[in-house]
């Protein structure tokens, strides 16, 4: 009888599983906005005050550090290739937007690129592999700033985009307003009073198409803050208005054609403004986080369930057994998925 009960428990549908975040001690009070799970056990995070965090043992121990010379910078994004090779993106006006790289686990950091345009502001970076990467910045002279590299950041090249709309911009909230996928595809998301749009490139950032979405864009702080895709066709965009974090109206859109068109799902939405969303492939689930909590979806974003009320800014998953979120005041947590007890 007990054996039959255990078998039944093992095949419970995903929506009956219990989700939670397990808090870890980060040892810092920085506002953490970047997190990157490189592999099982290897996770890097980044934040204000030139801060970075790293673990190589699945979170059992964490090492905190500050990049020399970057104490006044805000690292809004991090990309970990592996335990040794990591990129950090600093966001800020003018020369406060920079790219750093380490190849020895943070013992030494190389300043790869400094934005010299006083109108520039970097928002996110992403990589297709350990050599080819892309950076997104707010519009300068009527176009979004897109920089690409083919040599691991030794050289960065400016690419062109379709014209930005008046007062349109991107958000440096979680490092996921820009994503790279496959060999050459990339998407980035925007907001502001002109509309929440998604730009899509199929050739490594050289040319772009653009699509309107139903995500709210009724204020300077409203729009799409994060994108994620489960495959080349199916994706989810989340956002809202960060100045009205409890409002859930028009805070999500989904696509099934690679971003050519976006629709608003008719079911329950994430429970407020959301700054990051991630797909977890081994459970075919989606997790969205924001300052008012975390939500989960098992039906490709058609409906969502709130499972945590804590504040997070960014999230990263390798699998359901390796997921991490970061937030204000050094908040750092590990995702835990378990079947309900009886």
């Amino acid at each position: 009888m007990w054996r039959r009960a255990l078998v039944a428990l093992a095949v419970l549908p995903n929506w009956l599983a219990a989700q939670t975040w397990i808090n870890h001690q980060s040892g810092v009070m920085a506002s953490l906005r970047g997190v990157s799970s490189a592999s099982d056990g290897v996770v890097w995070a980044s934040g204000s005050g030139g801060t970075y965090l790293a673990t190589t043992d699945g979170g059992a121990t964490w090492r905190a550090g500050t990049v020399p010379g970057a104490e006044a910078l805000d690292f809004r994004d991090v990309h970990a290739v592996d335990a040794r090779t990591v990129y950090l993106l600093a966001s800020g006006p003018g020369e406060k937007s920079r790219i750093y790289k380490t190849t020895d686990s943070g013992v030494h950091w190389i300043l790869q690129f400094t934005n010299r345009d006083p109108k520039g502001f970097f928002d996110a970076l992403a990589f297709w592999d350990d050599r080819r990467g892309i950076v997104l910045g707010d519009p300068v002279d009527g176009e979004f700033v897109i920089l690409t590299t083919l040599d691991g950041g030794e050289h960065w090249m400016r690419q062109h985009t379709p014209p930005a709309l008046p007062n349109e911009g991107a958000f440096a909230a979680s490092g996921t307003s820009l994503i790279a996928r496959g060999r050459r595809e990339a998407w980035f998301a925007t907001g502001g009073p002109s509309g929440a749009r998604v730009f899509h490139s199929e050739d490594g950032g050289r040319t772009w198409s653009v699509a309107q979405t139903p995500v709210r864009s009724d204020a300077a702080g409203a729009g799409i803050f994060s994108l994620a895709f489960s495959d080349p066709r199916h994706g989810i965009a989340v956002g809202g208005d960060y100045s009205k974090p409890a409002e859930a109206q028009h805070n999500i859109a989904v696509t099934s054609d690679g971003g050519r068109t976006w629709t608003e799902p008719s079911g329950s939405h994430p429970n407020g403004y959301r700054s990051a969303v991630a797909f977890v492939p081994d459970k075919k689930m989606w997790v969205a986080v924001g300052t008012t909590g975390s939500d989960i979806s098992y039906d490709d974003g058609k409906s969502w369930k709130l499972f945590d009320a804590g504040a997070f800014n960014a999230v990263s998953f390798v699998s359901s057994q390796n997921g991490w979120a970061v937030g204000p005041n050094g908040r750092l947590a590990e995702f835990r998925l378990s079947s309900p007890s009886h």
Side-chain angles (χ1 to χ4, degrees), residues 88-323:
L88 291 171
L89 182 86
S91 300
E95 294 188 358
K96 290 187 176 181
S97 282
R98 304 180 193 176
I99 304 167
Y100 287 83
K101 181 181 181 179
T102 182
T103 57
D104 56 12
S105 303
V107 177
H108 302 93
W109 291 92
I110 300 168
L111 175 58
Q112 286 196 315
F113 190 89
T114 300
N115 168 54
R116 303 296 183 185
D117 193 319
K119 296 177 289 186
F121 190 106
F122 290 168
D123 297 294
L125 87 166
F127 281 79
W128 289 279
D129 53 41
D130 61 348
R131 305 289 291 171
R132 299 180 304 126
I134 183 169
V135 167
L136 166 67
D138 282 343
V140 172
D141 298 329
E143 285 187 17
F144 282 92
V145 172
I146 292 292
L147 304 175
T148 59
T149 182
L150 301 174
D151 56 12
E154 294 293 326
H155 303 89
W156 293 89
M157 299 161 286
R158 175 81 185 265
Q159 308 290 346
H160 291 288
T161 70
L165 299 175
N167 301 312
E168 185 180 22
F171 295 108
S174 65
T176 52
S177 56
L178 166 74
I179 58 172
R181 181 180 175 85
R183 292 187 55 81
R184 298 168 64 84
E185 282 198 283
W187 294 262
F188 72 85
T190 72
S194 296
R197 303 196 293 171
V198 175
F199 290 66
H200 178 212
S201 174
E202 297 180 288
D203 56 9
R206 290 189 299 168
T207 62
W208 298 83
S209 59
V210 60
Q212 192 70 42
T213 78
V215 174
R216 67 184 296 176
S217 57
D218 52 342
I224 301 170
F225 285 73
S226 179
L227 295 168
F229 277 75
S230 59
D231 59 44
R233 296 183 62 81
H234 295 88
I236 291 179
V238 300
D241 187 340
Y242 74 82
S243 68
K244 301 173 181 177
E247 294 186 1
Q249 301 95 315
H250 310 304
N251 66 350
I252 184 171
V254 299
T255 182
S256 59
D257 57 13
R260 292 179 178 84
T261 60
W262 295 82
T263 59
E264 184 171 358
S266 58
S268 56
H269 286 195
N271 197 46
Y273 153 75
R274 293 294 178 258
S275 56
V277 62
F279 178 67
V280 187
D282 64 310
K283 295 296 183 182
K284 294 182 171 54
M285 68 184 184
W286 301 79
V287 175
V289 301
T291 52
T292 61
S294 302
D295 310 271
I296 197 163
S297 173
Y298 285 107
D299 56 7
D300 283 330
K302 297 180 180 67
S303 61
W304 295 80
K305 182 184 72 171
L306 182 73
F307 70 90
D308 184 273
F312 288 111
N313 294 321
V315 65
S316 178
F317 281 86
V318 171
S319 70
S320 60
Q321 302 301 312
N322 188 346

